[in-house]
């Protein structure tokens, strides 16, 4: 366990690893359903700047600990799943870091603030 990771990040990483293990053994439907919320937890907790390892490396390491035999025989699938998680995490991080554009003028919140009524 990295000392920089808080319990919320640890739980999210553990759950992602468990879901990846289940995905390697079955169809992976649970991973698809839960991944966004878990990855968003990691983004909001600041995992990218608090951890020594990337999410891909950390999840892959935990998967190998949890279901080593399956992970060893399905290495390509494991790499593919963790790569997709990494891409999704980067996308979420970019989305969360965007600030509203200064080019666009403010818009009224409702009709009464847009008129003199």
């Amino acid at each position: 366990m990295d000392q920089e990771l808080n319990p919320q990040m640890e739980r999210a990483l553990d759950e992602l690893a468990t879901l990846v293990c289940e995905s390697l053994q079955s169809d992976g439907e649970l991973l698809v359903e839960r991944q966004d919320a878990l990855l968003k937890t990691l983004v909001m907790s600041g995992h990218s700047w608090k951890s020594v390892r990337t999410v891909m490396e950390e999840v892959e390491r935990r998967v190998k600990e949890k279901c080593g035999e399956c992970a060893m025989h399905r290495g390509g699938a494991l790499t593919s799943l963790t790569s997709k998680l990494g891409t999704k995490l980067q996308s979420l991080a970019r989305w969360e870091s965007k600030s509203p554009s200064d080019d666009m003028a403010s818009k009224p919140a409702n009709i009464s603030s847009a008129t003199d009524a």
Side-chain angles (χ1 to χ4, degrees):
M1 175 172 123
D2 287 350
Q3 298 209 355
E4 306 89 31
L5 300 183
N6 65 35
Q8 187 178 20
M9 284 189 266
E10 286 292 334
R11 279 191 302 276
L13 288 166
D14 280 340
E15 192 169 342
L16 276 171
T18 300
L19 291 171
V20 169
C21 279
E22 291 172 5
S23 294
L24 291 173
Q25 296 167 352
S26 64
D27 62 358
E29 226 174 88
L30 286 176
L31 178 62
V32 173
E33 292 173 6
R34 295 274 302 131
Q35 73 181 357
D36 287 354
L38 294 169
L39 292 173
K40 189 163 185 166
T41 296
L42 293 171
V43 168
M44 300 308 273
S45 298
H47 181 275
S48 60
W49 55 272
K50 288 184 180 181
S51 180
V52 177
R53 295 182 190 99
T54 66
V55 169
M56 287 174 42
E57 293 168 335
E58 187 61 34
V59 170
E60 199 164 318
R61 183 185 68 78
R62 291 173 190 236
V63 168
K64 289 176 181 175
E65 286 177 5
K66 288 179 184 276
C67 57
E69 186 73 23
C70 181
M72 183 174 65
H73 293 298
R74 308 239 7 240
L78 174 60
T79 301
S80 174
L81 287 171
T82 56
S83 178
K84 287 177 186 174
L85 288 174
T87 301
K88 184 71 173 178
L89 180 79
Q90 289 173 347
S91 174
L92 285 169
R94 272 193 308 274
W95 174 259
E96 291 297 328
S97 68
K98 282 187 178 181
S99 58
S101 174
D102 293 333
D103 301 342
M104 299 183 67
S106 299
K107 295 181 181 177
N110 58 38
I111 200 83
S112 62
S113 62
T115 62
D116 291 333

